[in-house]
Amino acid sequence: MDKLVIVGGQKLAGEVIVSGAKNAALPILCAGLLSAEPVHLDNVPDLQDVRTTLKLLNQMGVRTEQDGARVQLDASNVNNLVAPYELVKTMRASILVLGPLVARFGEAKVSLPGGCAIGARPVDQHIKGLQAMGAEITIEHGFIEARAKRLKGARIVTDMITVTGTENLLMAAVLADGETVIENAAREPEVGDLANLLVAMGAKIDGIGTDRLMIQGVEKLHGAQHTVIPDRIEAGTFLCAVAAAGGDVVLRNVRPNTLDAVTDKLREAGVTIEEGDDWMRVRMHERARAVNLRTSEYPAFPTDMQAQFMALNTIADGTSQVVENIFENRFMHVQELNRLGAHITIDGKTALIAGVEKLSGAKVMATDLRASASLVIAAMCAEGETLIDRIYHLDRGYDRMEAKLTKLGANVKRIKGNEA
Ligand code: EPZ
């Protein structure tokens, strides 16, 4: 397994181009299943979860071509409607083929996503919504099997706001017979990006960006060209990195208005942030103030930024509380941050962080995607050398993170698994 070796103490300076949004690219790639005509995508991030999704589509018979950030999908010859356990167990977002397969082919067999480090993450709402649209669903031998001659429009109210649940049901509804209303829909920008692609493919969707999506089903969808929105979580990760390590960095290819909750909290911590149409400049030349935060659904503070902001709080001036309201086990980074000298205690959904002047380098282990980003940020502020193991977690969700940080002046080196 690859490791990262980071020597702390470097300030960050320069420019970084933020990649396309992982959590928009994954549902958008699966939406390619909905049409027999080619879909041309741009600004697709080059990271492990995208490569896994392309592999999943290829074994279904989808022809794909990837040239840097450009991806072309051709689902004119899909001949296998199964998402196997071997792939699904490496990436839960594989569940996003369920809606498109049932919508276009009338059947699907998708392995149940197993457990995950950050929580149970059931998919009961995905299933409930498809059943409301007339799908016959059985769950046995670890597979979800779904069948429907043709899905029927329905009014669906999910029990809680679910991002991929909304996306799966949206992709099912666009080819259903009649109108579907999804109440309590997720409003994350990535859901809107998927909806915009579907409209470009000929879908009829109203309420994009709101918590009520109204879809008029159509007979079929045609091909389209689409550019994936920038990754607001990657952008937020770099903002937190500069806030913690100090420096002056310009982020290019971002949408500042998708990050307001994070930007507000960073300004409260004393960070200077300027915003343009598609750029942000972040400056920090003193110790941050400790800031309380609570995660919630968009547009509130994103759970995917909780670990990164906690890394900043570990060295901030004062004590802070971080409340994780979305996932039941998303504090795996806490013990590892404490190994670097942080003073964090957990009480249920709340982490209490007493800021310290300095962290000290140590051997630590990544446990999940955003936890690994949190450890990278903390390591850049720690005295001496930090070795982060299992960074395949980082590679799943970030496009060339260490190359971007090195360009900004960080001292980050990758040790390949076989070298260690
Ligand atoms: C998406 O996961 C993201 N992944 C996650 O990003 C993100 O943390 C999460 O949304 C919340 O914003 C992708 O978009 C690929 P949910 P998702 O369904 O859709 C419960 C990252 O780091 N729930 O919105 O799986 C669930 O357990 C990843 O990039 C049910 O109970 O999250 C959770 O507590 C991590 N039943 C809450 O709802 C369901 O059927 C929100 O989950 C569905 C969800």
Side-chain angles (χ1 to χ4, degrees):
M1 280 178 231
D2 289 8
K3 299 174 171 58
L4 281 186
V5 178
I6 298 175
V7 176
Q10 320 295 331
K11 300 262 176 271
L12 301 178
E15 284 203 358
V16 62
I17 296 177
V18 171
S19 300
K22 165 180 88 78
N23 290 348
L26 301 185
I28 281 172
L29 288 168
C30 297
L33 285 164
L34 287 164
S35 168
E37 296 177 19
V39 172
H40 300 266
L41 302 172
D42 203 349
N43 203 34
V44 177
D46 182 12
L47 43 82
Q48 190 53 42
D49 277 5
V50 164
R51 292 189 282 272
T52 304
T53 304
L54 291 173
K55 210 187 297 179
L56 176 64
L57 295 173
N58 290 157
Q59 60 91 42
M60 289 178 173
V62 179
R63 276 193 295 279
T64 64
E65 274 170 50
Q66 187 178 15
D67 171 17
R70 287 175 189 279
V71 171
Q72 178 168 324
L73 304 169
D74 174 355
S76 59
N77 190 16
V78 170
N79 51 25
N80 170 32
L81 304 177
V82 180
Y85 177 64
E86 292 64 37
L87 281 171
V88 176
K89 74 178 177 187
T90 67
M91 188 189 66
R92 328 172 36 72
S94 306
I95 191 73
L96 285 164
V97 300
L98 181 62
L101 287 175
V102 182
R104 182 168 167 222
F105 302 103
E107 64 176 275
K109 184 176 177 184
V110 178
S111 171
L112 261 177
C116 164
I118 63 176
R121 301 180 74 183
V123 290
D124 54 298
Q125 301 299 308
H126 302 235
I127 290 165
K128 167 185 161 184
L130 287 172
Q131 287 172 325
M133 297 169 82
E136 293 290 318
I137 294 191
T138 55
I139 296 179
E140 52 188 16
H141 308 303
F143 278 93
I144 303 167
E145 297 206 39
R147 274 184 179 61
K149 263 178 68 54
R150 185 181 181 191
L151 292 171
K152 284 183 183 41
R155 183 168 173 278
I156 301 163
V157 187
T158 52
D159 296 2
M160 79 294 293
I161 295 172
T162 158
V163 173
T164 52
T166 301
E167 291 166 345
N168 238 337
L169 298 175
L170 177 58
M171 289 192 280
V174 294
L175 290 178
D177 180 13
E179 179 181 68
T180 298
V181 178
I182 303 174
E183 305 277 7
N184 210 15
R187 294 169 52 196
E188 274 68 4
E190 295 75 28
V191 179
D193 200 33
L194 168 66
N196 289 332
L197 164 69
L198 294 171
V199 167
M201 293 170 74
K204 292 185 171 33
I205 305 171
D206 285 314
I208 296 175
T210 75
D211 63 358
R212 188 168 195 268
L213 296 173
M214 288 152 287
I215 305 105
Q216 293 298 336
V218 295
E219 289 301 316
K220 69 177 190 165
L221 296 181
H222 50 70
Q225 146 75 37
H226 182 77
T227 299
V228 175
I229 57 169
D231 194 319
R232 62 191 167 98
I233 304 301
E234 183 189 13
T237 302
F238 280 110
L239 293 176
C240 285
V242 177
D248 181 348
V249 169
V250 173
L251 307 185
R252 298 273 180 220
N253 185 31
V254 291
R255 286 199 183 167
N257 64 359
T258 61
L259 271 166
D260 290 341
V262 177
T263 308
D264 290 353
K265 285 294 172 186
L266 286 169
R267 284 179 175 138
E268 195 183 322
V271 185
T272 303
I273 299 176
E274 295 161 74
E275 301 175 6
D277 291 344
D278 62 352
W279 60 268
M280 298 173 89
R281 180 180 179 188
V282 51
R283 279 178 285 165
M284 188 60 163
H285 299 297
E286 76 256 356
R287 188 181 180 195
R289 291 188 292 272
V291 169
N292 296 333
L293 64 90
R294 315 169 58 84
T295 67
S296 184
E297 293 86 358
Y298 192 86
F301 193 95
T303 174
D304 288 354
M305 279 302 305
Q306 178 256 107
Q308 298 91 309
F309 206 105
M310 188 185 286
L312 173 61
N313 271 340
T314 63
I315 51 164
D317 182 7
T319 300
S320 54
Q321 284 195 353
V322 170
V323 182
E324 172 54 59
N325 290 310
I326 303 292
F327 291 110
E328 66 270 25
N329 189 35
R330 202 169 198 174
F331 283 148
M332 307 274 277
H333 41 287
V334 166
Q335 297 319 326
E336 299 302 309
L337 289 169
N338 283 345
R339 281 184 52 74
L340 294 171
H343 289 176
I344 311 170
T345 51
I346 297 175
D347 175 9
K349 299 197 305 184
T350 302
L352 198 62
I353 302 116
V356 296
E357 293 272 342
K358 267 269 172 216
L359 296 175
S360 61
K363 289 185 177 176
V364 291
M365 191 169 73
T367 51
D368 57 88
L369 169 54
R370 307 303 174 181
S372 47
S374 171
L375 294 176
V376 169
I377 293 171
M380 289 194 295
C381 312
E383 215 150 51
E385 183 175 282
T386 296
L387 185 77
I388 305 177
D389 200 353
R390 301 191 178 178
I391 57 146
Y392 60 86
H393 289 291
L394 191 79
D395 297 337
R396 286 194 47 185
Y398 287 98
D399 180 345
R400 287 174 292 243
M401 169 63 83
E402 79 256 22
K404 291 173 178 173
L405 287 173
T406 303
K407 186 165 166 277
L408 294 176
N411 185 336
V412 183
K413 286 185 185 44
R414 179 182 289 255
I415 303 178
K416 299 301 281 176
N418 49 16
E419 291 165 27

